[in-house]
């Protein structure tokens, strides 16, 4: 997971540097009309069909379809568990007590298709990947294939005890943006619903006695997740928040335990 995150950040950084030399070649009215394009927008990479959804001063007064392969909307932030409306965990969920500063989320989109009605409004559906990583405080090991989230209390101290999940997410976004300013940048307001499908769950533990250990299971994570997101940004940088409406786990004891996330977005377009 760390390797994927660092690779993504490296690609984003390199793309940002390349964007400086590519600024003279950004979209013109003619490039918008091409059937397929490759470009670098807001420091992240985009490969589009039916014309790139430009953030330059190219005119786009007429509605048009847009979409293709993209590496954008990279969300990096923190996750919080909400136990029936409270940020404090109930007694039955105390075993999931976590370190807030080390409980994180990472997600990004790799595909998008939509329709731009005018320079200020766009609707699009996207596809990408999402990770939530919960740094557990207690020295426990969740049992695999347990229908009730049973766990063993360990006699050792873990320097890392992380419960994580990964999803394929499919957001439907509504984007509002202002006119470009003299610096060629805009303010963005993006919101919409999202559904996601579980890929897997994982526990990663590190201790002096056992070294590094990894265990894969679904750990009763909800196989189908739905919620909504909101992003506000300027240029290629923004902030986001996400809230998932259904429970985080399928178990009866964890009923009402939900997940939210917030943080920084790189690559708004």
């Amino acid at each position: 997971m760390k390797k994927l995150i660092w690779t993504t950040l490296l690609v984003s950084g390199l793309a940002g540097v390349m964007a400086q030399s590519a600024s003279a070649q950004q979209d013109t009215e003619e490039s918008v009309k091409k059937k397929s394009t490759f470009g670098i927008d807001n420091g992240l990479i985009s490969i589009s069909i039916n014309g790139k959804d430009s953030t330059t001063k190219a005119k786009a007064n007429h509605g048009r379809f847009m979409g293709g392969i993209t590496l954008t909307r990279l969300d990096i932030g923190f996750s919080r568990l909400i136990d029936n409306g409270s940020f404090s965990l109930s007694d039955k969920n105390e075993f999931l007590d976590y370190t807030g500063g080390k409980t994180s989320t990472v997600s990004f989109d790799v595909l998008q298709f939509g329709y731009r009605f005018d320079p200020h409004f766009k609707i699009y559906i996207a596809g990408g990947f999402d990770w939530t990583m919960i740094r557990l405080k207690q020295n426990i090991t969740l049992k695999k294939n347990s229908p009730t989230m049973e766990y063993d209390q360990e006699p050792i101290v873990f320097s890392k005890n992380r419960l994580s999940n990964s999803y394929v997410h499919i957001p439907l976004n509504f984007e509002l943006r202002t006119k470009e300013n003299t610096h060629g940048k805009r303010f963005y307001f993006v919101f919409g619903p999202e559904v996601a499908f579980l890929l897997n769950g994982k526990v990663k533990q590190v201790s002096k006695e056992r070294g590094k250990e990894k265990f894969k299971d679904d750990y009763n994570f909800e196989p189908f997740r739905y919620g909504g997101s909101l992003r506000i940004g300027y240029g290629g940088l923004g902030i986001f928040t996400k809230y998932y409406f259904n429970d985080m786990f399928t178990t009866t004891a964890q009923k009402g335990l939900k997940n939210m996330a917030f943080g920084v977005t790189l690559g708004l377009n």
Side-chain angles (χ1 to χ4, degrees), residues 57-104:
K57 294 183 179 180
K59 294 181 180 179
N61 293 322
H62 301 291
R64 60 190 174 90
F65 289 98
M66 44 70 61
I69 301 172
T70 184
L71 172 56
T72 189
R73 287 176 295 279
L74 171 61
D75 294 334
I76 303 175
F78 301 99
S79 289
R80 292 292 182 269
L81 304 187
I82 302 176
D83 194 340
N84 290 281
S86 174
F87 285 105
S88 298
L89 296 178
S90 59
D91 292 341
K92 62 184 177 182
N93 291 322
E94 190 176 0
F95 70 98
L96 291 172
D97 193 17
Y98 59 95
T99 303
K102 295 182 179 180
T103 296
S104 57

Side-chain angles (χ1 to χ4, degrees), residues 95-98 134-138 140 161-163:
F95 70 98
L96 291 172
D97 193 17
Y98 59 95
I134 305 169
R135 183 66 69 90
L136 300 176
K137 286 184 177 181
Q138 297 195 29
I140 62 172
N161 190 9
R162 188 178 71 193
L163 171 64

Side-chain angles (χ1 to χ4, degrees), residues 155-189:
I156 61 176
V157 175
F158 294 112
S159 59
K160 176 185 288 186
N161 190 9
R162 188 178 71 193
L163 171 64
S164 63
N165 60 42
S166 60
Y167 283 83
V168 172
H169 68 212
I170 305 174
L172 172 64
N173 287 329
F174 300 84
E175 179 196 279
L176 301 173
R177 68 183 189 181
T178 63
K179 293 182 178 179
E180 288 184 343
N181 59 22
T182 55
H183 301 289
K185 295 184 178 181
R186 310 173 189 262
F187 285 98
Y188 287 83
F189 183 76

Side-chain angles (χ1 to χ4, degrees), residues 2-38:
K2 285 186 176 179
K3 184 177 180 182
L4 175 60
I5 295 173
W6 282 113
T7 301
T8 303
L9 292 175
L10 179 60
V11 171
S12 302
L14 290 175
V17 174
M18 293 169 61
Q20 299 298 320
S21 61
S23 60
Q25 300 179 3
Q26 288 183 325
D27 285 346
T28 62
E29 182 69 11
E30 289 75 21
S31 67
V32 172
K33 296 179 181 178
K34 292 181 180 180
K35 291 184 178 179
S36 62
T37 61
F38 170 82

